[in-house]
Amino acid sequence: QVQLVESGGGLVQVGGSLRLSCAASGRFFTINAMGWYRQAPGKQRELVARITSSGITNYADSVKGRFTISGDNAKKTVYLQMNSLKPEDTAVYYCNLLGSLRITTPAEDYWGQGTQVTVSS
């Protein structure tokens, strides 16, 4: 059974920092990437940052220079260091894992339950 568990969300003032953590359980044949998405009220879920199994990272333009993703796909862990937080960063943050459970199945997305990040001004 696949489970992604996030932690580290909370309430922080503008300019503050938070660190999100995610640990996945389950046996995967391959893990293509792990990352973080977010969804603010009334908006679609969007990619925040992602790290591939080869260590390549990509970020949403809105967080470049402020957020840093790290982790180890082999250990099924991913972190998001968020600095210089802004009110527009307020959202539910979801951990994501793209991978396949068997050699015969294509990669698919797995999601955590989400953790709330609120930035107050």
Side-chain angles (χ1 to χ4, degrees):
Q1 183 177 358
V2 176
Q3 191 173 17
L4 279 65
V5 179
E6 303 118 330
S7 61
L11 174 64
V12 65
Q13 291 187 331
V14 170
S17 298
L18 283 174
R19 178 176 168 88
L20 304 183
S21 301
C22 175
S25 60
R27 296 185 66 179
F28 288 86
F29 176 70
T30 59
I31 296 177
N32 301 77
M34 294 187 72
W36 294 92
Y37 287 69
R38 68 185 180 187
Q39 187 167 19
K43 295 188 177 181
Q44 289 189 330
R45 189 174 298 189
E46 63 175 0
L47 174 68
V48 177
R50 196 182 201 193
I51 182 166
T52 70
S53 58
S54 56
I56 297 172
T57 59
N58 64 289
Y59 296 89
D61 288 343
S62 59
V63 307
K64 284 180 181 177
R66 300 188 297 122
F67 291 11
T68 302
I69 190 169
S70 62
D72 188 334
N73 284 2
K75 295 181 179 179
K76 295 176 289 187
T77 56
V78 66
Y79 308 95
L80 186 68
Q81 178 66 43
M82 305 186 292
N83 298 328
S84 302
L85 283 160
K86 304 176 180 180
E88 51 264 43
D89 295 318
T90 296
V92 177
Y93 284 69
Y94 295 91
C95 179
N96 170 267
L97 185 153
L98 177 65
S100 57
L101 295 175
R102 301 175 186 82
I103 191 173
T104 56
T105 58
E108 60 182 285
D109 288 301
Y110 297 88
W111 299 94
Q113 80 285 357
T115 185
Q116 178 70 46
V117 171
T118 302
V119 184
S120 64
S121 55

